[in-house]
Amino acid sequence: MAQQGIPLLPMVVLAMLSQCSAWLTPRISFPQGSPGRPLVRFHRPGVSNTTMLLLSRDGDTLFVGARDAVLSLDVSQKEAIGIRSKLDWSPSEKDLQQCSMKGKEMTDCPNFIRVLQFLNTTHMYACGTYAFSPRCTYMLTETLLMASQSSRPEEGRGRCPYDPYQRSTAITVDGELYTATVADYRGNRPVISRHLSPVDLKLDDTLGWLEDPTFISSSFIPSEEKIYFFFSEVGREYDFIDKFIVSRVAQICTSDVGGQRTLQRRWTTFAKAQLLCQASSELPYNVVQDIIDLPPPEGAPADDTLFYGIFTSQWSVNSGQSAVCAFRLGDIKAAFSRNYKVLNRDTLRWSTRVQEKIANPGECGLHNASDNTLRFVKDNFLADDSVQPVGRSLTMVSHDQKYSHLVAQRVRAANHRDYTILFLLTDSGYLHKAVLLEKGAHIIEEVQVFQQHQAIVSMQLSVSKGVVFVGSSEGVVRVPVASCSVYSSCAQCVLARDPFCGWAPERTACVEVSPVPASLGQDVDAGNVEEVCSTAPLSPRARFGPNSLTTGETLSVSLNQVVRLQCPGASRHAQRLWERPDSRISPDLCLHMEDGGLRFVATPATLGQYLCLSTELGHRQVLAVYNVEQRTPAPAPPAAAAANATTARAHAHPAPTPTPTAWTTAPPGGPGLATTTGAKVRGEVKRHAAGAAVPSGAPEPRPPTGAGGVAPSGWPRDVGSKDGGRLPLALRPSYLRELVAVSTLLALCLSALLAVALGAVRQRCRKRTAPQAADGGAEREALRGEPPAGADGQRANGRGARGGRPHSATPKAANGHLPNTPL
C-alpha cells in the first residue's frame, strides 16, 4: 500500500456504488451550418495542421503555425478571415529521406510548427519538428521574414519536440524562452529548460525530478516572478502494482541562475506538488488534459488567481468522463511552503522528511545559498501536501463528453455581478459554453466547430473581439462568444441565463450586455421569466382562450389518415407536453414520440385543436398550435355529377327489396350480401368518399371486396406508418362491432342448419320404426275376399292414387280391432 494517501480498492468500490451527479446537458445545440450561430472559417489549399495559434496584443492579427508554414491572418473583420503574409518553411529532400530512413512515416516528417512566441514588439521566435530534427528561427512580426536569411536556422533540441504528436509547452518572459519538452529522439529525456538567456538552465536529469511526464501548459505570474508548469507523470510515491498517474504543478523562479558549485547550470528553485481533482467517495480524476489561468478581478490580490483544468481518469470506471477543477494560487503557494518528502537514493522510496528543515525548497534566491542548503533542496523537491481544488469539490463533471481544451473569461452581467464563463472543446467537435453558478455549472449552448476528431487542437480567446479561435487540421474557426439575436422573445432570452445577453424592452430584442449601464432584463442565477418579463402565469381558461393563442396552423386530413404533429424543441432543459382545449388526449388514441411529436389516426374523435407547450424553470409557453380538420372533397366533373344525381334519385325512390336478413348467392367477384345489404355498403362508401362524417357511436363502414379481393379505388386502403410499416396496435382502427355482428349471424345460420338436420334425422327414424303401408293393404284385400295384389296391384294402387278413400296407416279388422288380436 501507499505510504500516504489514496486507499485504492475502497475508493473503487465506493465509486462504483455511488450515485452519479446530474448530467450536464447543453440547453441549445447548434449543428454545423446553423443560421442561428454563424461561424467564420479559414482554409486554403496547401495549408494544413493549423494548430498553433498566437494572438497579437491588439487582437487584429492571428499568427498561425501550420505544416511547413507560418501564417499571419487578418481577424479585424467579423465576417471574414484574410491572409496577410505567409512564410514557407519546409525541410529539404535530403532531410525527408533521412527521416524516412529512421523508420518514421513520411506524413510525420514535414516541419510542424510547435513553438510560436513573441520576443518583443518586432520579432517572433518559432520552432518546428523539421523532419524529426527540431529547428528554430527568428522572424519579423510584420512580414514574417526570417531575421537572418543567410544563416541556417539553429538547432531546436530541448526547445521543440521531435515528434509532432508529442505534447510540450513554451512561454517567453522578458525575451527569454522557457520550455518543457523532451530532449532526445526517442522522447525519454524530459527537460524543463531556459533558452535565449545569458545563463541557460535545465533540470538535472540524473536526479529523477521527472517521471515519464506529459507536459500540458505553463503560466507566468508576474507578482511572484515564477513560472508554473502543469503536467502529469507517474507517481513514484505510491506503491501500487500498476503505474499510478498523478497531475503535478511545478515552479521555477525567473531569477534563478543556478548554483555556484552544487547544481551548476541547474535549477535551484524547482519544486513540484500534486494536483488532486477528486470528489468525496469517488476515484480521482488524475490525468490533466489542459489547464489555463484566470486573473483575479480588479482590486483582488494575486493569490485569487485561479487555474481551471480538465481532468480525466486512467480507470475504466470513469472512462469517457471529464471533470473540471479550479485551483487557487494561494493554495498552491501554501503547499510549496509546507513540508516536503525525501527520496531515499538507495531504495528509491519516498518518505516524509523528519530531519531539521534547512531551507524552504522552491524559494527564490537560493542560487547564492551554501552547498549544504543546495544539497537539501536537491533531495527535497516533492511537496508532502496535495493541492486541493477550490471548495474541495469538482467545478463540473461531464458523464457523456470528454473535454480536451478550454479557455475561461470573467464577464460582468447586467446586475453588475461577475460570472465565470468556460469554453470547453469536446473530442466530438463541439464547443460548450458553460457559466459557473452557485448551484453548479449551467451549459448555455453547444456549437459544432468541426465534424471529425482532431488529433491536435488549440484554442485562443480574444476578449477584445469577443471571439474564440479554434485551430485544427481542418483550418481555423472563429466562434463568437455570444449570439443573443437567436433568442426571439423575452422568455427565451431570460431562460438562456447567458451573462452576455439581456432583454431590451424598448427595442423588444435580446442584445449583448455592454459596459455602458443599461436597463436590461436578465436573471442568470434563477432564470425567473415572470419576474423579469413582468408576466403572470395564465389559468387554463385564459391560456386556451381566443385572446391568448394565435390561430395556428391548419391541417386538412382525411379520415383514417395517420397524422403526425411536430413540436419545435425550444430547449433541451424544457419538458414538452401536448394539450387540447376542449378535451383530453387519450393515450389509447395518440402516441407521444421521442422527439416530442404526436401521432394519431384521423377520426371524428381526434379532429380538433392541439397545442404543444413547454415547461422550463416554472415558465409555461406555447410552442405550436395545430387545427386538424377533415379535408373538403374536390368538386366532381360533369359526368361524375350526373352519375351522382342518378344515384341520389335511386336512393330517394328505392325499389322493393327482399327481406334484409335474406342471403343470396353472390355473383362472381360480388360482395356476397343481399340486395339491401349491398346497397347499404355502397351508400356508406359513397358517403365516405364524399367526406361525410360518421355519426358518433355508429360502427365504421367496412370496405366491400372487389374482384381479386382488392377494395375499390374510392375506399381508403389500410393506412400504415410513414416508412411503410404497420401502425402500432393503439393506432389501428377497431372493427369489434362488425366482428360481433358477423359472429352473431354465423351462429344463427349454424343453429338453423343444425335444427333442419335434426328434423330430417328424426323423420327418418320415425319412418323406419312404423308398420309398412303395403302389408296393411294385403290384409284388407284378404279379409274382403279379393285376390292378393299381383298384376292387379297396380290397379289398386292406381285407384288409391286417383282419389279413393285414404286408408289408415294402421290396418284394422271388420270389428275395428287389430288383426290377429284375441277378442
Side-chain angles (χ1 to χ4, degrees), residues 660-779:
T661 56
W663 292 81
T664 60
T665 303
L673 296 177
T675 306
T676 302
T677 306
K680 274 182 142 182
V681 173
R682 286 192 295 271
E684 294 292 343
V685 172
K686 292 178 180 179
R687 285 195 298 272
H688 191 282
V694 180
S696 177
E700 297 182 3
R702 302 183 62 188
T705 305
V710 180
S713 59
W715 192 274
R717 303 180 183 273
D718 184 19
V719 183
S721 60
K722 185 178 181 179
D723 56 356
R726 296 188 61 83
L727 289 176
L729 183 60
L731 295 180
R732 298 180 187 175
S734 175
Y735 298 99
L736 180 61
R737 302 172 185 175
E738 290 81 352
L739 179 61
V740 172
V742 172
S743 301
T744 304
L745 292 177
L746 182 61
L748 293 176
C749 294
L750 292 178
S751 300
L753 292 177
L754 182 61
V756 172
L758 290 177
V761 172
R762 184 177 180 182
Q763 187 68 23
R764 183 176 297 180
C765 292
R766 287 180 178 180
K767 289 182 179 180
R768 289 182 180 180
T769 56
Q772 298 294 327
D775 295 341
E779 292 179 357

Side-chain angles (χ1 to χ4, degrees), residues 166-198:
Q166 185 79 33
R167 299 199 64 174
S168 63
T169 180
I171 189 173
T172 55
V173 178
D174 296 333
E176 299 177 344
L177 179 67
Y178 296 84
T179 61
T181 183
V182 292
D184 65 332
Y185 175 79
R186 299 181 179 274
N188 297 327
R189 291 180 55 193
V191 60
I192 297 177
S193 55
R194 181 175 63 192
H195 308 273
L196 311 180
S197 171

Side-chain angles (χ1 to χ4, degrees), residues 55 59 408-410 460-469 481 500:
L55 190 64
Q409 180 182 357
R410 186 173 284 107
Q460 189 74 37
L461 173 65
S462 176
V463 178
S464 60
K465 299 296 181 182
V467 294
V468 176
F469 296 99
V481 296
F500 288 102

Side-chain angles (χ1 to χ4, degrees), residues 7 60 76 126 247 266 288 293 302 320 499 530 594 599 634 653 741 743 772 817:
D60 292 338
S76 58
S247 298
R266 300 292 186 269
V288 60
D293 64 291
E530 280 69 21
E594 294 182 358
R599 181 182 292 183
H653 304 283
S743 301
Q772 298 294 327
H817 297 280

